[in-house]
Amino acid sequence: MGNHTKKVGICGKYGTRYGATLRKVIKKMEVTQHSKYTCAFCGKDAVTRLATGIWKCKRCKKTMAGGAYCLSTAAAVTVRTAVSRLRKSQSDKV
């Protein structure tokens, strides 16, 4: 087995290639895409990435769409809050 990396983490596979700044950006993306997320349906930390934008819960077997590198993007959160606010205002009028 090889030596463990101290600073570079998952980007140790790139060695000294591609420059430090690009490796830092790639590290952030790879760490988020390989981590587990909380399932909105069953509540467990079991959602993993299948492919670009496709996420699946290992426990309840639900498949959902999301971001390329993380389950929920900032734009999706903004849209979700705007839609819920509009739904609430519509229900208050009726």
Side-chain angles (χ1 to χ4, degrees), residues 34-75:
H34 291 123
S35 62
K36 291 185 179 180
Y37 290 89
T38 305
C39 180
F41 299 100
C42 66
K44 297 289 182 179
D45 282 336
V47 179
T48 55
R49 182 179 183 257
L50 287 181
T52 306
I54 302 172
W55 299 82
K56 185 168 187 174
C57 179
K58 299 284 186 183
R59 186 172 179 266
C60 64
K61 306 289 192 259
K62 293 263 188 184
T63 304
M64 54 202 95
Y69 303 112
C70 61
L71 179 60
S72 172
T73 62

PDB file of all heavy atoms in Angstrom, residues 34-75:
ATOM      1  N   HIS A  34     -18.709  12.292  -3.668  1.00  0.00           N
ATOM      2  CA  HIS A  34     -18.547  10.963  -3.083  1.00  0.00           C
ATOM      3  C   HIS A  34     -19.129  10.852  -1.684  1.00  0.00           C
ATOM      4  O   HIS A  34     -19.164   9.757  -1.117  1.00  0.00           O
ATOM      5  CB  HIS A  34     -17.065  10.568  -3.055  1.00  0.00           C
ATOM      6  CG  HIS A  34     -16.505  10.311  -4.420  1.00  0.00           C
ATOM      7  ND1 HIS A  34     -15.419  10.986  -4.909  1.00  0.00           N
ATOM      8  CD2 HIS A  34     -16.891   9.490  -5.409  1.00  0.00           C
ATOM      9  CE1 HIS A  34     -15.161  10.570  -6.145  1.00  0.00           C
ATOM     10  NE2 HIS A  34     -16.052   9.663  -6.465  1.00  0.00           N
ATOM     11  N   SER A  35     -19.587  11.959  -1.104  1.00  0.00           N
ATOM     12  CA  SER A  35     -20.146  11.893   0.242  1.00  0.00           C
ATOM     13  C   SER A  35     -21.602  11.424   0.193  1.00  0.00           C
ATOM     14  O   SER A  35     -22.238  11.438  -0.855  1.00  0.00           O
ATOM     15  CB  SER A  35     -20.045  13.252   0.932  1.00  0.00           C
ATOM     16  OG  SER A  35     -20.780  14.210   0.229  1.00  0.00           O
ATOM     17  N   LYS A  36     -22.109  11.021   1.346  1.00  0.00           N
ATOM     18  CA  LYS A  36     -23.496  10.570   1.453  1.00  0.00           C
ATOM     19  C   LYS A  36     -24.352  11.720   1.949  1.00  0.00           C
ATOM     20  O   LYS A  36     -23.926  12.522   2.768  1.00  0.00           O
ATOM     21  CB  LYS A  36     -23.602   9.385   2.404  1.00  0.00           C
ATOM     22  CG  LYS A  36     -22.959   8.135   1.861  1.00  0.00           C
ATOM     23  CD  LYS A  36     -23.184   6.964   2.759  1.00  0.00           C
ATOM     24  CE  LYS A  36     -22.543   5.721   2.142  1.00  0.00           C
ATOM     25  NZ  LYS A  36     -22.733   4.560   2.997  1.00  0.00           N
ATOM     26  N   TYR A  37     -25.585  11.777   1.454  1.00  0.00           N
ATOM     27  CA  TYR A  37     -26.512  12.843   1.802  1.00  0.00           C
ATOM     28  C   TYR A  37     -27.744  12.256   2.473  1.00  0.00           C
ATOM     29  O   TYR A  37     -28.039  11.077   2.324  1.00  0.00           O
ATOM     30  CB  TYR A  37     -26.921  13.618   0.548  1.00  0.00           C
ATOM     31  CG  TYR A  37     -25.800  14.447  -0.025  1.00  0.00           C
ATOM     32  CD1 TYR A  37     -24.927  13.921  -0.961  1.00  0.00           C
ATOM     33  CD2 TYR A  37     -25.606  15.754   0.388  1.00  0.00           C
ATOM     34  CE1 TYR A  37     -23.893  14.677  -1.480  1.00  0.00           C
ATOM     35  CE2 TYR A  37     -24.579  16.520  -0.125  1.00  0.00           C
ATOM     36  CZ  TYR A  37     -23.721  15.974  -1.059  1.00  0.00           C
ATOM     37  OH  TYR A  37     -22.703  16.731  -1.567  1.00  0.00           O
ATOM     38  N   THR A  38     -28.482  13.090   3.175  1.00  0.00           N
ATOM     39  CA  THR A  38     -29.688  12.662   3.872  1.00  0.00           C
ATOM     40  C   THR A  38     -30.841  12.537   2.887  1.00  0.00           C
ATOM     41  O   THR A  38     -31.097  13.445   2.101  1.00  0.00           O
ATOM     42  CB  THR A  38     -30.060  13.669   4.965  1.00  0.00           C
ATOM     43  OG1 THR A  38     -28.941  13.834   5.827  1.00  0.00           O
ATOM     44  CG2 THR A  38     -31.238  13.185   5.775  1.00  0.00           C
ATOM     45  N   CYS A  39     -31.548  11.423   2.957  1.00  0.00           N
ATOM     46  CA  CYS A  39     -32.690  11.183   2.076  1.00  0.00           C
ATOM     47  C   CYS A  39     -33.891  11.983   2.573  1.00  0.00           C
ATOM     48  O   CYS A  39     -34.197  11.984   3.761  1.00  0.00           O
ATOM     49  CB  CYS A  39     -33.027   9.695   2.046  1.00  0.00           C
ATOM     50  SG  CYS A  39     -34.412   9.280   0.980  1.00  0.00           S
ATOM     51  N   ALA A  40     -34.562  12.650   1.647  1.00  0.00           N
ATOM     52  CA  ALA A  40     -35.750  13.434   2.001  1.00  0.00           C
ATOM     53  C   ALA A  40     -36.954  12.545   2.280  1.00  0.00           C
ATOM     54  O   ALA A  40     -37.911  12.975   2.918  1.00  0.00           O
ATOM     55  CB  ALA A  40     -36.077  14.407   0.876  1.00  0.00           C
ATOM     56  N   PHE A  41     -36.914  11.306   1.825  1.00  0.00           N
ATOM     57  CA  PHE A  41     -38.054  10.406   1.979  1.00  0.00           C
ATOM     58  C   PHE A  41     -37.965   9.567   3.243  1.00  0.00           C
ATOM     59  O   PHE A  41     -38.945   9.444   3.981  1.00  0.00           O
ATOM     60  CB  PHE A  41     -38.170   9.499   0.757  1.00  0.00           C
ATOM     61  CG  PHE A  41     -38.382  10.248  -0.523  1.00  0.00           C
ATOM     62  CD1 PHE A  41     -37.327  10.483  -1.385  1.00  0.00           C
ATOM     63  CD2 PHE A  41     -39.630  10.739  -0.870  1.00  0.00           C
ATOM     64  CE1 PHE A  41     -37.520  11.188  -2.559  1.00  0.00           C
ATOM     65  CE2 PHE A  41     -39.834  11.444  -2.037  1.00  0.00           C
ATOM     66  CZ  PHE A  41     -38.765  11.664  -2.884  1.00  0.00           C
ATOM     67  N   CYS A  42     -36.784   8.989   3.521  1.00  0.00           N
ATOM     68  CA  CYS A  42     -36.675   8.107   4.686  1.00  0.00           C
ATOM     69  C   CYS A  42     -35.857   8.712   5.823  1.00  0.00           C
ATOM     70  O   CYS A  42     -35.883   8.205   6.936  1.00  0.00           O
ATOM     71  CB  CYS A  42     -36.085   6.755   4.285  1.00  0.00           C
ATOM     72  SG  CYS A  42     -34.372   6.817   3.731  1.00  0.00           S
ATOM     73  N   GLY A  43     -35.112   9.784   5.562  1.00  0.00           N
ATOM     74  CA  GLY A  43     -34.383  10.467   6.615  1.00  0.00           C
ATOM     75  C   GLY A  43     -33.026   9.898   6.967  1.00  0.00           C
ATOM     76  O   GLY A  43     -32.387  10.361   7.908  1.00  0.00           O
ATOM     77  N   LYS A  44     -32.551   8.911   6.246  1.00  0.00           N
ATOM     78  CA  LYS A  44     -31.250   8.303   6.537  1.00  0.00           C
ATOM     79  C   LYS A  44     -30.155   8.916   5.658  1.00  0.00           C
ATOM     80  O   LYS A  44     -30.418   9.411   4.569  1.00  0.00           O
ATOM     81  CB  LYS A  44     -31.289   6.790   6.278  1.00  0.00           C
ATOM     82  CG  LYS A  44     -32.243   6.046   7.162  1.00  0.00           C
ATOM     83  CD  LYS A  44     -31.733   5.992   8.584  1.00  0.00           C
ATOM     84  CE  LYS A  44     -32.669   5.205   9.470  1.00  0.00           C
ATOM     85  NZ  LYS A  44     -32.197   5.112  10.825  1.00  0.00           N
ATOM     86  N   ASP A  45     -28.913   8.850   6.120  1.00  0.00           N
ATOM     87  CA  ASP A  45     -27.770   9.291   5.317  1.00  0.00           C
ATOM     88  C   ASP A  45     -27.381   8.167   4.371  1.00  0.00           C
ATOM     89  O   ASP A  45     -26.422   7.430   4.611  1.00  0.00           O
ATOM     90  CB  ASP A  45     -26.589   9.654   6.215  1.00  0.00           C
ATOM     91  CG  ASP A  45     -26.742  11.001   6.856  1.00  0.00           C
ATOM     92  OD1 ASP A  45     -27.468  11.826   6.290  1.00  0.00           O
ATOM     93  OD2 ASP A  45     -26.129  11.237   7.905  1.00  0.00           O
ATOM     94  N   ALA A  46     -28.127   8.020   3.291  1.00  0.00           N
ATOM     95  CA  ALA A  46     -27.905   6.889   2.394  1.00  0.00           C
ATOM     96  C   ALA A  46     -27.976   7.268   0.924  1.00  0.00           C
ATOM     97  O   ALA A  46     -27.962   6.393   0.073  1.00  0.00           O
ATOM     98  CB  ALA A  46     -28.931   5.794   2.683  1.00  0.00           C
ATOM     99  N   VAL A  47     -28.055   8.555   0.604  1.00  0.00           N
ATOM    100  CA  VAL A  47     -28.169   8.975  -0.792  1.00  0.00           C
ATOM    101  C   VAL A  47     -26.776   9.102  -1.380  1.00  0.00           C
ATOM    102  O   VAL A  47     -25.930   9.839  -0.868  1.00  0.00           O
ATOM    103  CB  VAL A  47     -28.933  10.300  -0.922  1.00  0.00           C
ATOM    104  CG1 VAL A  47     -29.028  10.733  -2.364  1.00  0.00           C
ATOM    105  CG2 VAL A  47     -30.323  10.161  -0.334  1.00  0.00           C
ATOM    106  N   THR A  48     -26.517   8.360  -2.449  1.00  0.00           N
ATOM    107  CA  THR A  48     -25.234   8.420  -3.131  1.00  0.00           C
ATOM    108  C   THR A  48     -25.447   8.718  -4.605  1.00  0.00           C
ATOM    109  O   THR A  48     -26.544   8.534  -5.133  1.00  0.00           O
ATOM    110  CB  THR A  48     -24.456   7.096  -2.990  1.00  0.00           C
ATOM    111  OG1 THR A  48     -25.274   6.028  -3.452  1.00  0.00           O
ATOM    112  CG2 THR A  48     -24.045   6.843  -1.559  1.00  0.00           C
ATOM    113  N   ARG A  49     -24.398   9.152  -5.262  1.00  0.00           N
ATOM    114  CA  ARG A  49     -24.471   9.564  -6.660  1.00  0.00           C
ATOM    115  C   ARG A  49     -24.307   8.360  -7.574  1.00  0.00           C
ATOM    116  O   ARG A  49     -23.389   7.565  -7.421  1.00  0.00           O
ATOM    117  CB  ARG A  49     -23.360  10.576  -6.927  1.00  0.00           C
ATOM    118  CG  ARG A  49     -23.323  11.144  -8.316  1.00  0.00           C
ATOM    119  CD  ARG A  49     -22.177  12.148  -8.382  1.00  0.00           C
ATOM    120  NE  ARG A  49     -22.083  12.801  -9.655  1.00  0.00           N
ATOM    121  CZ  ARG A  49     -21.183  12.511 -10.585  1.00  0.00           C
ATOM    122  NH1 ARG A  49     -20.289  11.564 -10.372  1.00  0.00           N
ATOM    123  NH2 ARG A  49     -21.158  13.169 -11.718  1.00  0.00           N
ATOM    124  N   LEU A  50     -25.238   8.202  -8.515  1.00  0.00           N
ATOM    125  CA  LEU A  50     -25.128   7.147  -9.520  1.00  0.00           C
ATOM    126  C   LEU A  50     -24.402   7.649 -10.757  1.00  0.00           C
ATOM    127  O   LEU A  50     -23.511   7.000 -11.267  1.00  0.00           O
ATOM    128  CB  LEU A  50     -26.517   6.653  -9.936  1.00  0.00           C
ATOM    129  CG  LEU A  50     -27.291   5.799  -8.960  1.00  0.00           C
ATOM    130  CD1 LEU A  50     -28.616   5.395  -9.573  1.00  0.00           C
ATOM    131  CD2 LEU A  50     -26.499   4.565  -8.590  1.00  0.00           C
ATOM    132  N   ALA A  51     -24.837   8.781 -11.276  1.00  0.00           N
ATOM    133  CA  ALA A  51     -24.248   9.397 -12.457  1.00  0.00           C
ATOM    134  C   ALA A  51     -24.440  10.901 -12.321  1.00  0.00           C
ATOM    135  O   ALA A  51     -24.933  11.375 -11.295  1.00  0.00           O
ATOM    136  CB  ALA A  51     -24.921   8.877 -13.724  1.00  0.00           C
ATOM    137  N   THR A  52     -24.082  11.647 -13.333  1.00  0.00           N
ATOM    138  CA  THR A  52     -24.199  13.097 -13.273  1.00  0.00           C
ATOM    139  C   THR A  52     -25.657  13.501 -13.071  1.00  0.00           C
ATOM    140  O   THR A  52     -26.502  13.276 -13.932  1.00  0.00           O
ATOM    141  CB  THR A  52     -23.666  13.741 -14.551  1.00  0.00           C
ATOM    142  OG1 THR A  52     -22.343  13.274 -14.776  1.00  0.00           O
ATOM    143  CG2 THR A  52     -23.655  15.253 -14.437  1.00  0.00           C
ATOM    144  N   GLY A  53     -25.962  14.079 -11.912  1.00  0.00           N
ATOM    145  CA  GLY A  53     -27.303  14.563 -11.625  1.00  0.00           C
ATOM    146  C   GLY A  53     -28.288  13.504 -11.184  1.00  0.00           C
ATOM    147  O   GLY A  53     -29.456  13.808 -10.958  1.00  0.00           O
ATOM    148  N   ILE A  54     -27.878  12.250 -11.046  1.00  0.00           N
ATOM    149  CA  ILE A  54     -28.772  11.168 -10.628  1.00  0.00           C
ATOM    150  C   ILE A  54     -28.302  10.650  -9.274  1.00  0.00           C
ATOM    151  O   ILE A  54     -27.173  10.200  -9.129  1.00  0.00           O
ATOM    152  CB  ILE A  54     -28.809  10.029 -11.663  1.00  0.00           C
ATOM    153  CG1 ILE A  54     -29.262  10.570 -13.000  1.00  0.00           C
ATOM    154  CG2 ILE A  54     -29.712   8.904 -11.186  1.00  0.00           C
ATOM    155  CD1 ILE A  54     -29.157   9.581 -14.122  1.00  0.00           C
ATOM    156  N   TRP A  55     -29.187  10.705  -8.295  1.00  0.00           N
ATOM    157  CA  TRP A  55     -28.875  10.308  -6.932  1.00  0.00           C
ATOM    158  C   TRP A  55     -29.860   9.239  -6.485  1.00  0.00           C
ATOM    159  O   TRP A  55     -31.028   9.296  -6.809  1.00  0.00           O
ATOM    160  CB  TRP A  55     -28.976  11.525  -6.008  1.00  0.00           C
ATOM    161  CG  TRP A  55     -28.001  12.595  -6.392  1.00  0.00           C
ATOM    162  CD1 TRP A  55     -28.161  13.530  -7.369  1.00  0.00           C
ATOM    163  CD2 TRP A  55     -26.720  12.822  -5.826  1.00  0.00           C
ATOM    164  NE1 TRP A  55     -27.057  14.327  -7.435  1.00  0.00           N
ATOM    165  CE2 TRP A  55     -26.153  13.913  -6.501  1.00  0.00           C
ATOM    166  CE3 TRP A  55     -25.989  12.218  -4.805  1.00  0.00           C
ATOM    167  CZ2 TRP A  55     -24.895  14.409  -6.178  1.00  0.00           C
ATOM    168  CZ3 TRP A  55     -24.745  12.710  -4.483  1.00  0.00           C
ATOM    169  CH2 TRP A  55     -24.205  13.792  -5.168  1.00  0.00           C
ATOM    170  N   LYS A  56     -29.378   8.238  -5.734  1.00  0.00           N
ATOM    171  CA  LYS A  56     -30.243   7.135  -5.304  1.00  0.00           C
ATOM    172  C   LYS A  56     -30.013   6.846  -3.825  1.00  0.00           C
ATOM    173  O   LYS A  56     -28.889   6.803  -3.359  1.00  0.00           O
ATOM    174  CB  LYS A  56     -29.946   5.887  -6.123  1.00  0.00           C
ATOM    175  CG  LYS A  56     -30.881   4.741  -5.811  1.00  0.00           C
ATOM    176  CD  LYS A  56     -30.774   3.628  -6.806  1.00  0.00           C
ATOM    177  CE  LYS A  56     -31.852   2.604  -6.532  1.00  0.00           C
ATOM    178  NZ  LYS A  56     -31.876   1.574  -7.541  1.00  0.00           N
ATOM    179  N   CYS A  57     -31.131   6.637  -3.127  1.00  0.00           N
ATOM    180  CA  CYS A  57     -31.072   6.247  -1.723  1.00  0.00           C
ATOM    181  C   CYS A  57     -30.895   4.735  -1.655  1.00  0.00           C
ATOM    182  O   CYS A  57     -31.675   3.983  -2.242  1.00  0.00           O
ATOM    183  CB  CYS A  57     -32.345   6.671  -0.996  1.00  0.00           C
ATOM    184  SG  CYS A  57     -32.345   6.202   0.747  1.00  0.00           S
ATOM    185  N   LYS A  58     -29.882   4.295  -0.930  1.00  0.00           N
ATOM    186  CA  LYS A  58     -29.606   2.867  -0.817  1.00  0.00           C
ATOM    187  C   LYS A  58     -30.626   2.169   0.077  1.00  0.00           C
ATOM    188  O   LYS A  58     -30.833   0.972  -0.034  1.00  0.00           O
ATOM    189  CB  LYS A  58     -28.209   2.644  -0.232  1.00  0.00           C
ATOM    190  CG  LYS A  58     -27.090   3.217  -1.059  1.00  0.00           C
ATOM    191  CD  LYS A  58     -26.804   2.363  -2.258  1.00  0.00           C
ATOM    192  CE  LYS A  58     -25.587   2.895  -2.986  1.00  0.00           C
ATOM    193  NZ  LYS A  58     -25.315   2.154  -4.192  1.00  0.00           N
ATOM    194  N   ARG A  59     -31.278   2.937   0.973  1.00  0.00           N
ATOM    195  CA  ARG A  59     -32.191   2.323   1.932  1.00  0.00           C
ATOM    196  C   ARG A  59     -33.592   2.164   1.373  1.00  0.00           C
ATOM    197  O   ARG A  59     -34.152   1.069   1.389  1.00  0.00           O
ATOM    198  CB  ARG A  59     -32.229   3.162   3.204  1.00  0.00           C
ATOM    199  CG  ARG A  59     -33.032   2.541   4.315  1.00  0.00           C
ATOM    200  CD  ARG A  59     -32.863   3.329   5.583  1.00  0.00           C
ATOM    201  NE  ARG A  59     -33.651   2.762   6.654  1.00  0.00           N
ATOM    202  CZ  ARG A  59     -34.873   3.152   6.977  1.00  0.00           C
ATOM    203  NH1 ARG A  59     -35.457   4.108   6.289  1.00  0.00           N
ATOM    204  NH2 ARG A  59     -35.512   2.596   7.973  1.00  0.00           N
ATOM    205  N   CYS A  60     -34.177   3.267   0.855  1.00  0.00           N
ATOM    206  CA  CYS A  60     -35.562   3.186   0.384  1.00  0.00           C
ATOM    207  C   CYS A  60     -35.651   3.044  -1.137  1.00  0.00           C
ATOM    208  O   CYS A  60     -36.752   3.011  -1.686  1.00  0.00           O
ATOM    209  CB  CYS A  60     -36.361   4.399   0.852  1.00  0.00           C
ATOM    210  SG  CYS A  60     -35.814   5.964   0.205  1.00  0.00           S
ATOM    211  N   LYS A  61     -34.508   2.973  -1.818  1.00  0.00           N
ATOM    212  CA  LYS A  61     -34.422   2.713  -3.265  1.00  0.00           C
ATOM    213  C   LYS A  61     -35.060   3.804  -4.127  1.00  0.00           C
ATOM    214  O   LYS A  61     -35.395   3.565  -5.270  1.00  0.00           O
ATOM    215  CB  LYS A  61     -35.054   1.359  -3.624  1.00  0.00           C
ATOM    216  CG  LYS A  61     -34.518   0.176  -2.857  1.00  0.00           C
ATOM    217  CD  LYS A  61     -33.113  -0.166  -3.270  1.00  0.00           C
ATOM    218  CE  LYS A  61     -32.679  -1.500  -2.726  1.00  0.00           C
ATOM    219  NZ  LYS A  61     -31.834  -1.414  -1.574  1.00  0.00           N
ATOM    220  N   LYS A  62     -35.227   5.012  -3.566  1.00  0.00           N
ATOM    221  CA  LYS A  62     -35.772   6.115  -4.359  1.00  0.00           C
ATOM    222  C   LYS A  62     -34.653   6.729  -5.188  1.00  0.00           C
ATOM    223  O   LYS A  62     -33.538   6.907  -4.711  1.00  0.00           O
ATOM    224  CB  LYS A  62     -36.359   7.196  -3.448  1.00  0.00           C
ATOM    225  CG  LYS A  62     -37.577   6.756  -2.696  1.00  0.00           C
ATOM    226  CD  LYS A  62     -38.804   7.189  -3.407  1.00  0.00           C
ATOM    227  CE  LYS A  62     -40.015   6.914  -2.534  1.00  0.00           C
ATOM    228  NZ  LYS A  62     -41.239   7.213  -3.183  1.00  0.00           N
ATOM    229  N   THR A  63     -34.974   7.047  -6.440  1.00  0.00           N
ATOM    230  CA  THR A  63     -34.038   7.731  -7.314  1.00  0.00           C
ATOM    231  C   THR A  63     -34.529   9.154  -7.520  1.00  0.00           C
ATOM    232  O   THR A  63     -35.711   9.370  -7.757  1.00  0.00           O
ATOM    233  CB  THR A  63     -33.934   7.007  -8.671  1.00  0.00           C
ATOM    234  OG1 THR A  63     -33.574   5.646  -8.431  1.00  0.00           O
ATOM    235  CG2 THR A  63     -32.879   7.644  -9.549  1.00  0.00           C
ATOM    236  N   MET A  64     -33.611  10.117  -7.425  1.00  0.00           N
ATOM    237  CA  MET A  64     -34.007  11.516  -7.554  1.00  0.00           C
ATOM    238  C   MET A  64     -32.989  12.286  -8.377  1.00  0.00           C
ATOM    239  O   MET A  64     -31.849  11.853  -8.523  1.00  0.00           O
ATOM    240  CB  MET A  64     -34.178  12.153  -6.173  1.00  0.00           C
ATOM    241  CG  MET A  64     -32.992  12.023  -5.272  1.00  0.00           C
ATOM    242  SD  MET A  64     -33.394  12.191  -3.543  1.00  0.00           S
ATOM    243  CE  MET A  64     -33.582  10.483  -3.082  1.00  0.00           C
ATOM    244  N   ALA A  65     -33.445  13.383  -8.935  1.00  0.00           N
ATOM    245  CA  ALA A  65     -32.568  14.258  -9.699  1.00  0.00           C
ATOM    246  C   ALA A  65     -31.991  15.310  -8.774  1.00  0.00           C
ATOM    247  O   ALA A  65     -32.621  15.725  -7.813  1.00  0.00           O
ATOM    248  CB  ALA A  65     -33.341  14.916 -10.832  1.00  0.00           C
ATOM    249  N   GLY A  66     -30.783  15.732  -9.083  1.00  0.00           N
ATOM    250  CA  GLY A  66     -30.134  16.754  -8.271  1.00  0.00           C
ATOM    251  C   GLY A  66     -29.033  17.413  -9.059  1.00  0.00           C
ATOM    252  O   GLY A  66     -29.017  17.378 -10.296  1.00  0.00           O
ATOM    253  N   GLY A  67     -28.099  17.993  -8.362  1.00  0.00           N
ATOM    254  CA  GLY A  67     -26.967  18.638  -9.013  1.00  0.00           C
ATOM    255  C   GLY A  67     -25.954  17.621  -9.490  1.00  0.00           C
ATOM    256  O   GLY A  67     -26.035  16.431  -9.182  1.00  0.00           O
ATOM    257  N   ALA A  68     -24.982  18.092 -10.241  1.00  0.00           N
ATOM    258  CA  ALA A  68     -23.962  17.202 -10.774  1.00  0.00           C
ATOM    259  C   ALA A  68     -23.034  16.690  -9.683  1.00  0.00           C
ATOM    260  O   ALA A  68     -22.651  15.525  -9.683  1.00  0.00           O
ATOM    261  CB  ALA A  68     -23.155  17.917 -11.857  1.00  0.00           C
ATOM    262  N   TYR A  69     -22.677  17.555  -8.724  1.00  0.00           N
ATOM    263  CA  TYR A  69     -21.711  17.176  -7.704  1.00  0.00           C
ATOM    264  C   TYR A  69     -22.287  17.137  -6.303  1.00  0.00           C
ATOM    265  O   TYR A  69     -21.670  16.583  -5.404  1.00  0.00           O
ATOM    266  CB  TYR A  69     -20.519  18.134  -7.738  1.00  0.00           C
ATOM    267  CG  TYR A  69     -19.864  18.174  -9.093  1.00  0.00           C
ATOM    268  CD1 TYR A  69     -19.934  19.304  -9.885  1.00  0.00           C
ATOM    269  CD2 TYR A  69     -19.207  17.067  -9.599  1.00  0.00           C
ATOM    270  CE1 TYR A  69     -19.344  19.340 -11.131  1.00  0.00           C
ATOM    271  CE2 TYR A  69     -18.625  17.081 -10.845  1.00  0.00           C
ATOM    272  CZ  TYR A  69     -18.695  18.218 -11.608  1.00  0.00           C
ATOM    273  OH  TYR A  69     -18.124  18.245 -12.846  1.00  0.00           O
ATOM    274  N   CYS A  70     -23.448  17.744  -6.080  1.00  0.00           N
ATOM    275  CA  CYS A  70     -24.110  17.674  -4.783  1.00  0.00           C
ATOM    276  C   CYS A  70     -25.602  17.482  -5.010  1.00  0.00           C
ATOM    277  O   CYS A  70     -26.124  17.814  -6.072  1.00  0.00           O
ATOM    278  CB  CYS A  70     -23.833  18.904  -3.928  1.00  0.00           C
ATOM    279  SG  CYS A  70     -24.387  20.435  -4.629  1.00  0.00           S
ATOM    280  N   LEU A  71     -26.273  16.930  -4.015  1.00  0.00           N
ATOM    281  CA  LEU A  71     -27.674  16.560  -4.177  1.00  0.00           C
ATOM    282  C   LEU A  71     -28.565  17.754  -4.453  1.00  0.00           C
ATOM    283  O   LEU A  71     -29.438  17.704  -5.309  1.00  0.00           O
ATOM    284  CB  LEU A  71     -28.160  15.802  -2.938  1.00  0.00           C
ATOM    285  CG  LEU A  71     -29.605  15.353  -2.927  1.00  0.00           C
ATOM    286  CD1 LEU A  71     -29.884  14.415  -4.091  1.00  0.00           C
ATOM    287  CD2 LEU A  71     -29.926  14.659  -1.618  1.00  0.00           C
ATOM    288  N   SER A  72     -28.350  18.845  -3.753  1.00  0.00           N
ATOM    289  CA  SER A  72     -29.208  20.020  -3.905  1.00  0.00           C
ATOM    290  C   SER A  72     -28.345  21.231  -4.235  1.00  0.00           C
ATOM    291  O   SER A  72     -27.432  21.564  -3.480  1.00  0.00           O
ATOM    292  CB  SER A  72     -29.977  20.259  -2.608  1.00  0.00           C
ATOM    293  OG  SER A  72     -30.668  21.466  -2.666  1.00  0.00           O
ATOM    294  N   THR A  73     -28.623  21.902  -5.340  1.00  0.00           N
ATOM    295  CA  THR A  73     -27.854  23.070  -5.740  1.00  0.00           C
ATOM    296  C   THR A  73     -28.444  24.332  -5.111  1.00  0.00           C
ATOM    297  O   THR A  73     -29.583  24.341  -4.643  1.00  0.00           O
ATOM    298  CB  THR A  73     -27.844  23.231  -7.266  1.00  0.00           C
ATOM    299  OG1 THR A  73     -29.185  23.423  -7.719  1.00  0.00           O
ATOM    300  CG2 THR A  73     -27.257  22.007  -7.942  1.00  0.00           C
ATOM    301  N   ALA A  74     -27.681  25.396  -5.130  1.00  0.00           N
ATOM    302  CA  ALA A  74     -28.141  26.667  -4.566  1.00  0.00           C
ATOM    303  C   ALA A  74     -29.327  27.209  -5.350  1.00  0.00           C
ATOM    304  O   ALA A  74     -30.271  27.756  -4.776  1.00  0.00           O
ATOM    305  CB  ALA A  74     -27.004  27.674  -4.548  1.00  0.00           C
ATOM    306  N   ALA A  75     -29.302  27.056  -6.666  1.00  0.00           N
ATOM    307  CA  ALA A  75     -30.408  27.522  -7.497  1.00  0.00           C
ATOM    308  C   ALA A  75     -31.683  26.739  -7.199  1.00  0.00           C
ATOM    309  O   ALA A  75     -32.782  27.308  -7.159  1.00  0.00           O
ATOM    310  CB  ALA A  75     -30.049  27.400  -8.969  1.00  0.00           C
TER     311      ALA A  75
END
